[in-house]
Amino acid sequence: MNANVWKAAGALFAVFFLGVITGGGMMYVRAERNLANLVSPDAGPRGEWRMHALNRALGLDDAQREKVRAIFRAHATERRARLDDAMDKCGDPLREMKAKMDAEIRAVLRPDQQRTFDRIAARQDARMFRGRAGRHGGGKRPSN
């Protein structure tokens, strides 16, 4: 193949790859926002979505809507605690997989890249696991 064909194929691959990265990033942001809404103390937008769905399905009057909102608020702390507990108990396999992948990526990087990668990975850990170290010490990075 000539150089122009290689350039076109490379450009097509680059566009595809950037699309995959962009789409993945957007899905990650959406998932983070949904998780944040799920565990917010006041039920946040998710609570409003549930309220809207219940209202549409049941035809709640104003007094009923206020009582249901109060129920959401009254149980918000317990709901948050239970979700945190579930993540603490069930998050280990995800933490382990991320740590394994991070270690493999880190192994192909130069020392200066490793330091930057360690900072990026630590920020990801903080967002994904909300500071939970778990039983396997997730979020810890090798020192340089």
Side-chain angles (χ1 to χ4, degrees), residues 37 40 42-52 69 72 79:
N37 291 338
S40 69
D42 63 351
R46 185 175 191 278
E48 285 304 311
W49 174 84
R50 289 183 69 198
M51 175 58 46
H52 178 72
R69 276 193 182 96
F72 287 159
R79 186 178 65 246

Side-chain angles (χ1 to χ4, degrees), residues 100-112:
K100 179 181 175 184
M101 291 173 59
D102 286 355
E104 290 178 26
I105 292 168
R106 194 175 192 283
V108 301
L109 302 176
R110 296 185 313 264
D112 61 311

Side-chain angles (χ1 to χ4, degrees), residues 12-125:
L12 182 62
F13 176 77
V15 168
F16 174 77
F17 183 73
L18 290 173
V20 168
I21 296 297
T22 301
M26 290 172 63
M27 291 301 293
Y28 176 77
V29 167
R30 183 175 180 193
E32 282 289 309
R33 186 176 301 135
N34 288 343
L35 180 61
N37 291 338
L38 177 67
V39 299
S40 69
D42 63 351
R46 185 175 191 278
E48 285 304 311
W49 174 84
R50 289 183 69 198
M51 175 58 46
H52 178 72
L54 287 173
N55 187 46
R56 189 178 61 228
L58 303 173
L60 302 174
D61 61 37
D62 289 343
Q64 290 173 315
R65 277 192 295 277
E66 287 309 309
K67 288 177 184 177
V68 172
R69 276 193 182 96
I71 292 168
F72 287 159
R73 284 191 297 270
H75 293 281
T77 302
E78 181 183 1
R79 186 178 65 246
R80 171 69 186 233
R82 288 183 185 225
L83 185 62
D84 285 348
D85 185 52
M87 186 59 175
D88 287 342
K89 291 177 182 173
C90 302
D92 285 346
L94 182 59
R95 273 189 287 275
E96 290 170 1
M97 184 65 194
K98 183 177 184 307
K100 179 181 175 184
M101 291 173 59
D102 286 355
E104 290 178 26
I105 292 168
R106 194 175 192 283
V108 301
L109 302 176
R110 296 185 313 264
D112 61 311
Q113 292 172 320
Q114 288 176 349
R115 287 187 292 275
T116 302
F117 178 76
D118 290 346
R119 286 191 298 273
I120 293 168
R123 282 193 307 264
Q124 288 174 336
D125 289 348

